Amino acid sequence: MHSYGRQSNFTWNGTLRELSNYSCSERVRPSMAAPGSSSGLEVLLSTLQNAGDIESTLSTLNVLDELLSAGTDRRILYMISKGGSEALLSALVTTARTFSPNFTILLPLLHLLAKVGHRDRRIGMKAEKAEAVMLTLNLLKQNERHSRMTAACLWVIQVFCSSVTTATLLGQNRGLDVIFRLIPPYTTRHTRTVKAAIDAFAALLYSMANVKTAVAKGYVSGLLRLYEDWHNKDTGHEAVPIRLALLHCLQQATHCRFGRDALAAHGGMSLLYHSTQTCLASKGLESLVEPAVQLMRKCCPKCPLALTSDRSVYTFVLPGRPTETPPGPQHVGFEDDSDDDAENEEADCTKEYDDDLESDVNKLRSRPELDRPLEQLGQYVRLCPELQHDFQDLDSGSEVDDSSDEEDLLKGDFWNDRRSTVTHRDSPSRSPVDHTASTAEDGDRDVKGEPAEIHLQARDLHSHFLSSSGLKPDGHPSMVDRLLEKHGACIPHHEPRLYAAAAALTKSIPGYSILAFPDFWGHLPPQSKEPMAGRKPNVQRKKVLEDVQRLLSPEDIINEVVFDLEDPSNQCSSDHSGSLSFFSQFECGNLRKAVRIRSHEYDLILNADVNCSQHHQWFYFEVSGMAADIPYRFNIINCEKANSQFNYGMQPVLYSVREALEGRPHWVRTGTEICYYRNNYYPSQGWKICSFYTLTFTVTFRHNQDVCYLAYHFPYTYSALQSHLQGLQRSVDPDKVFFRLQSLCDTLGGNPCPLVTVTAVPSSKSWRDLHQMRNRPCVVLTARVHPGESNASWVMKGTLEFLCSSDPRAESLREAYIFKIIPMLNPDGVINGTHRCSLNGEDLNRQWLKPDSVLSPTIYHAKGFLYYLSSIGRTPLVFCDYHGHSRKKNVFLYGCSVKETLWQSGSKVNTATVKEDPGYRTIPKSLDRIAPAFSFNSCNYLVEKSREATARVVVWREMGVLRSYTMESTYNGCDQGVLKGLQTGTRELEEMGSKFCQSLLSLRRGTTPYKTRVMCHPALELDHIFLDHNSHNCFEDDEPPCVEEIEYLTDIFPKSKGNDLDTEVNGNTSSTDEEEEDEPEMNRNGRQHSLESHLCPHLIGQETLNIKRNGMSISEGQYLS
């Protein structure tokens, strides 16, 4: 029971719906209730509209306010549903149109209308229909000197402006002028009314027509001067709500370009910056800082990127295409935020079903016709050597494929045999610099402690390590020979000379002649796992304010280009005194331009994918010439995605040459003050509506004059793959492992796309063993269709090494399956440092429906090979395409399910009648038990229309592979289990590759009719390697909203809450004279409104409340139950 404590107060017990027990013969409006069924609320509303005397009207208003104040918003919404807004508007119009309006009635009526109308989404249209809009504006004009009446009118106008058409109507009738005139310079009087005027002015600016009018009339300048005055004179910080309201007005006024230009032209950026600095020094002004910062971000002038063209520096002439570069910009909107076929973001919560899901059961179940003549499939017979091999001499070992040119190169002088058949579009290949004289001097030194070699500059690395011959001209061993002799052979499955041999055969567009040291020397994962980076509070704000300083103090900006792919004179030049040196012309490298902004700050621009002007994410570059223990800020300013794991603890990776030569050849996570946010750049020749984002991070280098490499993720080059495969081929036991390295096809760039076959050699030449081997189910694995997803290659490396190992589980897998592995579907993209596309400028994982044999040869032949396997009755048991994911944590699978897709899409098909083998969930469930990085709850099995041309869907639909997956590996880390809070390294990624193989053991019992001795080994039972990481309890969203606003166009001033407005209204009614207090009467938390009525305080002291209408009495205690 709710009671207000004062003897005379009206008491409410029960709900509004219980009032329907009372009937009345009162005439009511048809829109409110039907005759004979009027509720008590409807009686009150009818009484309000038809009351003929002041006392009855005031009593009715007070009762309504008591009823509404005592409960929650549900009561007000119920009143609105019963025509409460219309009744109040009608009463307002009736009262205001009398010859002499009674302000004793108008004031509480306006107060109640403000409270109710604020919760009525259609109040603006209702007010227009009742002709109350202009009437309220006229009341405001007539009562400008009456503070309380003015405030009441302003609140009602603010409520009406929830409708854009109503706000426009008011603007057309000089509403902006009337209200702006009510906003004074700094004052301590009538502050509630001042704030009401500012809030109403901001509400009017929700109409774009009003924004343009306000800008044209110079109100932006006026608002700036008002904000400056209130900021400077409010030394006691008592008018913070008013200052915040003025920022709201400025935010609304800058919704159009002219408003933003006006703010910048009238010194708004400087005013906001300096006032923000003042606010940062005072704890009580924190609420003003973020709105001011967002306003500055929004109003910073848009700038084109400092590029001659948005298109990639590298172009490749496509067969059958004209040689000219297509004219004009290509920007038709950046790529969608999904990283690949499986990156389906959470559906909009306002939709009941996802419109992108395929709901046509016939399309889901139909098997399309072959996309090529059946006779063409015969060419893939060669890719199944295990079916033709007779194993006549099992002791002679596996045959060596005749394509191992690397072995020949290793026998001779491979350093000078580098070749390139494809040329750079504009800039020539970088030639090595000869420093033989100085090297000879250094080579004779053998000082204890630090070797002389670790003091090399970047240019020395390029000339000696990676572009020189094995012997120097004087016949002495080169520095590379000495270093390899001293430090080499420390990394498993990596031989630097073998890598260099493979790189010598790799063909790139620029004709690379330099190898990156980390790729050449090799990488070992650090001994300890690396935690996710903590984010300092307000780090983005700090960076944004530094960016604003560029605009305000241009004299402090160096703005010097220190590296440019299109200008050979600016590539790793030592002409820039005191500057870092940059370089990226090596395999997988991506950095187009580096600009020195301040002494230790650099803007970096990434190169677009070949033959297009988009897809900026992957970066890999060399930096040298640094000083130790000094923080350097790097800003990559042309990222495209709307969010990134860099906002959630992810760090880029760094490799130090000096650390490597001292015995620590590690790629390590690095960087502090990392954040990712929208900036004010747009494409140099594109549309301004295209948005770029800044990734900023700070690196403090450990050594002076070191040579370091920075990358988005752990690089894995095509040459690394080739050398790794050569090493595996030499390391396997040919008596046990059938290992064949073949070429699926040549790429557009002329590089072979490797295909690996791995299975167990039959134990004998008997028909039984040969038959068992040739009838093993096939497992097809692919990776790296997107070049920037280097984590997929590390997972694949783990898969290959596990399958070729002597682990009993690997032996079991080889005896159970034939593995067909294409470890890199997009070699050209990987080589040339692209993020998503191949040389044709297209995403190869969107070409699987109808791949072009010329423009997408790897996809065309991979699909053809899968067709061939199906045509000979060897449809793969499992197909999995390895990918990387930039927006989520953990590792997870996406598969395909008819039933789940139909159910999720809201299809009318009764899914209970659809029969489907649930075996597609077996592998995810197994991985959830054995792989610490795997998250079962991140998996889904939905088939989307936008993904119908991806590998996962095509292989499932056209080849009938039930277990067709995409496996996504995070770039960041895990948020569950034993790896929670840790970033994934190459060790964890390789482990995931081996765990995927082990999960296939869960399918083995139905696929291995022979050779069960090894299968029964205790180590192979999944039940004994159960790993409880509780992923099955994680049903949270992928990421919470970023702690700081990534975008700057988001409305950071949400419309005021009902309780806030109620507090203001109640404060206005509590004053009994014209002179109100200096600040609003709010509760301590500023949100809870009083439960007592404040509409008619002079009536509260009466002993009883009586309203008589046609014999019905509503008095104190009447509604008690």
Side-chain angles (χ1 to χ4, degrees):
M1 177 175 177
H2 299 280
S3 177
Y4 299 122
R6 278 186 280 186
Q7 184 179 1
S8 59
N9 279 4
F10 180 83
T11 306
W12 171 262
N13 184 29
T15 66
L16 291 176
R17 294 186 183 274
E18 290 172 347
L19 296 179
S20 60
N21 294 328
Y22 295 87
S23 60
C24 135
S25 57
E26 173 73 30
R27 287 186 300 111
V28 293
R29 294 170 56 190
S31 61
M32 294 174 60
S37 63
S38 299
S39 70
L41 174 64
E42 291 165 339
V43 171
L44 289 173
L45 295 178
S46 177
T47 301
L48 178 64
Q49 295 177 84
N50 298 288
D53 58 279
I54 297 175
E55 192 71 17
S56 296
T57 302
L58 290 176
S59 298
T60 304
L61 288 172
N62 198 57
V63 170
L64 284 171
D65 188 54
E66 288 284 356
L67 299 182
L68 301 179
S69 299
T72 64
D73 282 359
R74 292 181 62 185
R75 289 190 174 182
I76 298 181
L77 296 175
Y78 179 69
M79 174 180 170
I80 292 170
S81 70
K82 293 299 182 180
S85 299
E86 290 89 339
L88 292 172
L89 288 168
S90 175
L92 174 64
V93 172
T94 302
T95 304
R97 282 181 175 174
T98 59
F99 180 76
S100 179
N102 191 316
F103 293 105
T104 306
I105 296 177
L106 279 176
L107 186 61
L109 184 57
L110 289 168
H111 287 165
L112 189 57
L113 181 58
K115 289 183 178 182
V116 174
H118 189 71
R119 295 162 173 86
D120 188 344
R121 291 181 298 177
R122 302 181 66 250
I123 186 64
M125 292 182 289
K126 293 176 181 178
E128 287 188 58
K129 185 176 180 180
E131 300 181 353
V133 178
M134 295 311 302
L135 183 144
T136 306
L137 182 61
N138 289 331
L139 281 175
L140 177 63
K141 294 177 183 178
Q142 297 166 11
N143 293 275
E144 290 183 2
R145 295 186 178 183
H146 189 295
S147 176
R148 294 171 62 201
M149 191 67 182
T150 298
C153 291
L154 288 168
W155 286 321
V156 171
I157 288 175
Q158 177 187 343
V159 166
F160 288 169
C161 289
S162 61
S163 167
V164 174
T165 57
T166 306
T168 303
L169 175 64
L170 286 164
Q172 292 170 347
N173 288 275
R174 303 183 63 84
L176 288 168
D177 301 334
V178 172
I179 295 175
F180 189 78
R181 192 167 60 241
L182 299 174
I183 307 175
Y186 177 76
T187 179
T188 58
R189 299 180 68 248
H190 305 306
T191 53
R192 185 179 292 110
T193 304
V194 172
K195 185 176 183 302
I198 300 172
D199 288 339
F201 193 82
L204 284 171
L205 295 180
Y206 277 100
S207 161
M208 187 56 66
N210 288 347
V211 170
K212 294 178 180 178
T213 301
V215 173
K217 291 187 175 184
Y219 286 144
V220 173
S221 174
L223 289 169
L224 287 171
R225 302 289 74 81
L226 284 168
Y227 181 75
E228 182 179 22
D229 186 69
W230 281 85
H231 171 76
N232 292 334
K233 296 179 180 179
D234 182 29
T235 55
H237 309 324
E238 297 174 349
V240 171
I242 290 178
R243 292 157 67 178
L244 194 61
L246 286 168
L247 287 176
H248 187 193
C249 284
L250 287 168
Q251 195 263 352
Q252 291 297 113
T254 52
H255 273 336
C256 71
R257 180 173 60 86
F258 300 109
R260 295 189 288 273
D261 293 343
L263 184 141
H266 290 92
M269 296 295 292
S270 178
L271 169 62
L272 292 169
Y273 178 82
H274 290 103
S275 64
T276 299
Q277 296 298 323
T278 304
C279 293
L280 285 171
S282 177
K283 214 170 189 180
L285 301 179
E286 181 70 22
S287 61
L288 296 172
V289 174
E290 188 60 23
V293 170
Q294 293 297 327
L295 190 54
M296 284 187 280
R297 291 180 63 191
K298 181 180 177 181
C299 296
C300 274
K302 286 276 189 178
C303 302
L305 289 176
L307 300 175
T308 57
S309 170
D310 298 320
R311 296 183 64 81
S312 172
V313 174
Y314 303 146
T315 58
F316 182 84
V317 179
L318 298 175
R321 300 284 179 88
T323 58
E324 302 85 7
T325 300
Q330 274 196 344
H331 292 274
V332 292
F334 288 143
E335 67 171 286
D336 120 322
D337 287 333
S338 55
D339 279 298
D340 94 308
D341 58 70
E343 288 203 25
N344 46 343
E345 304 294 335
E346 290 295 325
D348 188 342
C349 60
T350 62
K351 293 183 179 180
E352 187 176 358
Y353 300 107
D354 188 346
D355 294 337
D356 191 34
L357 294 179
E358 182 59 73
S359 57
D360 188 338
V361 68
N362 293 323
K363 288 186 178 180
L364 288 170
R365 289 201 147 176
S366 62
R367 184 77 65 87
E369 297 293 329
L370 288 179
D371 63 359
R372 67 199 74 192
L374 186 62
E375 54 269 19
Q376 289 188 6
L377 302 182
Q379 62 181 302
Y380 302 110
V381 173
R382 66 180 181 85
L383 298 180
C384 293
E386 74 283 358
L387 301 184
Q388 286 80 40
H389 199 284
D390 55 11
F391 296 97
Q392 290 301 313
D393 188 1
L394 293 176
D395 296 327
S396 64
S398 298
E399 295 177 356
V400 179
D401 196 75
D402 57 4
S403 62
S404 58
D405 295 330
E406 290 84 351
E407 296 290 342
D408 298 330
L409 287 172
L410 284 173
K411 297 175 184 177
D413 182 10
F414 59 84
W415 293 101
N416 289 326
D417 195 28
R418 302 184 63 78
R419 59 188 184 174
S420 176
T421 59
V422 190
T423 58
H424 188 286
R425 181 183 65 170
D426 294 319
S427 59
S429 300
R430 189 160 183 227
S431 58
V433 185
D434 188 12
H435 291 279
T436 53
S438 61
T439 347
E441 251 186 310
D442 293 339
D444 296 332
R445 295 171 60 186
D446 187 14
V447 183
K448 291 183 179 180
E450 293 184 346
E453 290 88 343
I454 65 176
H455 298 293
L456 290 173
Q457 302 292 319
R459 58 181 179 274
D460 299 319
L461 281 174
H462 296 168
S463 59
H464 294 303
F465 274 71
L466 313 174
S467 299
S468 61
S469 63
L471 295 176
K472 294 192 298 184
D474 59 5
H476 289 84
S478 69
M479 185 174 294
V480 63
D481 290 315
R482 298 197 314 277
L483 288 173
L484 286 175
E485 181 179 353
K486 184 172 183 178
H487 303 285
C490 65
I491 297 175
H493 305 293
H494 182 84
E495 167 55 50
R497 291 188 181 279
L498 186 59
Y499 179 87
L505 294 173
T506 299
K507 300 175 183 178
S508 62
I509 293 178
Y512 296 132
S513 61
I514 302 297
L515 303 184
F517 182 84
D519 305 324
F520 168 78
W521 197 254
H523 153 76
L524 281 176
Q527 293 183 352
S528 59
K529 294 180 172 63
E530 298 176 286
M532 294 180 192
R535 182 174 177 129
K536 292 182 179 179
N538 304 312
V539 61
Q540 179 179 300
R541 175 199 296 170
K542 174 185 174 183
K543 299 304 177 183
V544 169
L545 289 174
E546 290 177 7
D547 295 344
V548 173
Q549 274 187 303
R550 300 191 196 185
L551 178 68
L552 301 180
S553 304
E555 66 278 2
D556 297 334
I557 304 304
I558 299 173
N559 203 32
E560 176 187 22
V561 177
V562 295
F563 174 76
D564 191 345
L565 266 185
E566 298 177 277
D567 183 1
S569 65
N570 268 325
Q571 295 180 14
C572 207
S573 172
S574 58
D575 299 336
H576 307 287
S577 177
S579 171
L580 295 176
S581 296
F582 295 84
F583 187 68
S584 65
Q585 280 195 286
F586 47 77
E587 189 175 346
C588 271
N590 190 319
L591 177 66
R592 179 168 181 170
K593 195 170 187 176
V595 182
R596 190 183 186 192
I597 300 301
R598 299 182 179 95
S599 57
H600 300 107
E601 181 180 356
Y602 296 83
D603 278 358
L604 309 178
I605 301 176
L606 305 182
N607 195 23
D609 283 6
V610 176
N611 279 355
C612 69
S613 57
Q614 296 177 246
H615 312 300
H616 308 92
Q617 179 170 311
W618 171 258
F619 59 87
Y620 181 21
F621 58 87
E622 175 193 280
V623 59
S624 59
M626 67 285 292
D629 302 322
I630 291 179
Y632 290 87
R633 178 183 173 186
F634 299 98
N635 311 306
I636 299 176
I637 62 174
N638 64 330
C639 302
E640 291 176 357
K641 290 183 178 292
N643 199 354
S644 169
Q645 281 292 316
F646 284 114
N647 276 329
Y648 302 96
M650 177 177 162
Q651 295 173 287
V653 294
L654 177 142
Y655 189 104
S656 164
V657 171
R658 179 163 180 167
E659 290 285 312
L661 295 180
E662 290 179 350
R664 296 179 293 277
H666 307 310
W667 278 106
V668 295
R669 300 281 187 167
T670 191
T672 58
E673 298 187 336
I674 302 172
C675 51
Y676 184 97
Y677 56 91
R678 185 175 175 182
N679 60 36
N680 294 83
Y681 291 100
Y682 63 89
S684 60
Q685 297 173 325
W687 301 335
K688 292 186 180 182
I689 61 172
C690 293
S691 302
F692 282 127
Y693 294 80
T694 292
L695 164 63
T696 181
F697 56 92
T698 299
V699 177
T700 303
F701 299 98
R702 296 181 59 185
H703 306 289
N704 279 314
Q705 301 303 312
D706 195 359
V707 179
C708 294
Y709 294 79
L710 286 165
Y712 181 87
H713 196 67
F714 306 99
Y716 191 96
T717 65
Y718 172 76
S719 298
L721 171 66
Q722 292 288 65
S723 61
H724 183 229
L725 293 177
Q726 290 288 334
L728 282 178
Q729 183 169 252
R730 294 187 302 175
S731 67
V732 298
D733 183 351
D735 294 332
K736 295 182 178 180
V737 182
F738 183 89
F739 184 100
R740 285 294 181 275
L741 173 58
Q742 299 173 282
S743 174
L744 173 70
C745 62
D746 281 347
T747 66
L748 269 177
N751 295 289
C753 178
L755 183 145
V756 180
T757 301
V758 179
T759 191
V761 173
S763 55
S764 73
K765 293 181 289 184
S766 68
W767 176 90
R768 180 185 180 88
D769 287 335
L770 288 176
H771 179 75
Q772 187 274 338
M773 189 275 293
R774 289 167 179 164
N775 283 277
R776 294 168 186 166
C778 284
V779 174
V780 179
L781 306 176
T782 62
R784 207 68 183 277
V785 70
H786 294 146
E789 296 169 3
S790 61
N791 42 2
S793 283
W794 288 101
V795 176
M796 182 59 78
K797 181 174 184 286
T799 291
L800 287 164
E801 290 182 359
F802 179 77
L803 290 177
C804 295
S805 72
S806 58
D807 188 292
R809 290 166 293 186
E811 294 179 5
S812 173
L813 287 165
R814 291 194 297 266
E815 293 185 356
Y817 307 113
I818 297 173
F819 290 88
K820 298 292 183 179
I821 301 174
I822 308 175
M824 193 171 284
L825 277 168
N826 192 349
D828 291 338
V830 172
I831 292 166
N832 293 286
T834 67
H835 167 58
R836 195 169 181 88
C837 301
S838 185
L839 300 188
N840 61 3
E842 300 289 342
D843 180 351
L844 292 186
N845 203 35
R846 297 296 187 274
Q847 310 301 314
W848 280 80
L849 266 182
K850 294 183 179 179
D852 189 290
S853 61
V854 176
L855 299 180
S856 307
T858 60
I859 304 303
Y860 180 84
H861 291 291
K863 185 178 181 181
F865 178 55
L866 288 164
Y867 270 143
Y868 170 73
L869 291 176
S870 297
S871 69
I872 62 173
R874 301 183 59 77
T875 299
L877 178 69
V878 175
F879 171 85
C880 189
D881 190 17
Y882 293 2
H883 282 258
H885 206 298
S886 69
R887 299 285 293 274
K888 295 183 180 181
K889 292 185 174 71
N890 309 312
V891 181
F892 43 91
L893 287 175
Y894 290 105
C896 302
S897 166
V898 174
K899 292 187 72 168
E900 294 193 34
T901 303
L902 291 175
W903 182 82
Q904 190 70 27
S905 67
S907 171
K908 296 180 180 179
V909 177
N910 182 8
T911 55
T913 63
V914 177
K915 293 183 179 180
E916 184 177 42
D917 186 343
Y920 60 87
R921 284 179 170 262
T922 304
I923 291 176
K925 287 180 179 179
S926 299
L927 284 171
D928 195 48
R929 298 169 61 196
I930 66 175
F934 191 81
S935 170
F936 182 78
N937 284 316
S938 294
C939 301
N940 79 45
Y941 313 93
L942 306 179
V943 181
E944 298 161 298
K945 299 172 186 175
S946 59
R947 318 296 184 191
E948 65 177 0
T950 60
R952 167 179 62 100
V953 177
V954 169
V955 172
W956 170 75
R957 179 179 287 162
E958 297 191 21
M959 287 77 182
V961 178
L962 173 69
R963 299 174 182 87
S964 179
Y965 303 108
T966 295
M967 184 162 71
E968 296 282 352
S969 299
T970 180
Y971 289 100
N972 186 358
C974 298
D975 58 7
Q976 63 171 34
V978 296
L979 297 179
K980 183 175 183 178
L982 299 175
Q983 296 183 82
T984 55
T986 56
R987 180 189 290 108
E988 290 74 34
L989 293 170
E990 291 182 47
E991 179 190 34
M992 191 64 230
S994 69
K995 294 296 184 183
F996 180 83
C997 295
Q998 294 170 38
S999 73
L1000 300 176
L1001 294 171
S1002 59
L1003 309 176
R1004 73 190 187 280
R1005 291 186 175 90
T1007 60
T1008 54
Y1010 303 102
K1011 193 70 174 179
T1012 59
R1013 177 178 57 82
V1014 178
M1015 300 294 295
C1016 297
H1017 192 284
L1020 303 179
E1021 295 298 326
L1022 290 178
D1023 293 340
H1024 293 280
I1025 46 179
F1026 179 78
L1027 178 65
D1028 184 13
H1029 52 63
N1030 294 322
S1031 72
H1032 49 279
N1033 292 327
C1034 301
F1035 288 98
E1036 300 175 358
D1037 292 339
D1038 295 320
E1039 296 295 351
C1042 186
V1043 292
E1044 296 185 83
E1045 189 61 56
I1046 300 169
E1047 302 289 337
Y1048 55 77
L1049 292 182
T1050 305
D1051 192 351
I1052 57 174
F1053 295 91
K1055 294 183 179 180
S1056 59
K1057 298 179 181 178
N1059 290 347
D1060 297 333
L1061 185 60
D1062 292 349
T1063 303
E1064 293 286 336
V1065 172
N1066 293 340
N1068 198 46
T1069 59
S1070 63
S1071 181
T1072 58
D1073 55 29
E1074 292 289 327
E1075 295 295 328
E1076 58 189 326
E1077 297 177 10
D1078 291 342
E1079 59 184 49
E1081 298 177 7
M1082 296 184 183
N1083 292 335
R1084 290 185 181 270
N1085 59 17
R1087 293 183 297 177
Q1088 295 295 328
H1089 63 280
S1090 171
L1091 294 178
E1092 296 183 355
S1093 173
H1094 294 274
L1095 287 176
C1096 312
H1098 58 284
L1099 290 177
I1100 297 299
Q1102 292 180 195
E1103 291 299 320
T1104 59
L1105 286 175
N1106 288 295
I1107 303 175
K1108 291 187 178 181
R1109 295 293 296 171
N1110 294 334
M1112 180 178 178
S1113 176
I1114 306 175
S1115 61
E1116 183 181 24
Q1118 180 75 28
Y1119 294 146
L1120 290 176
S1121 59

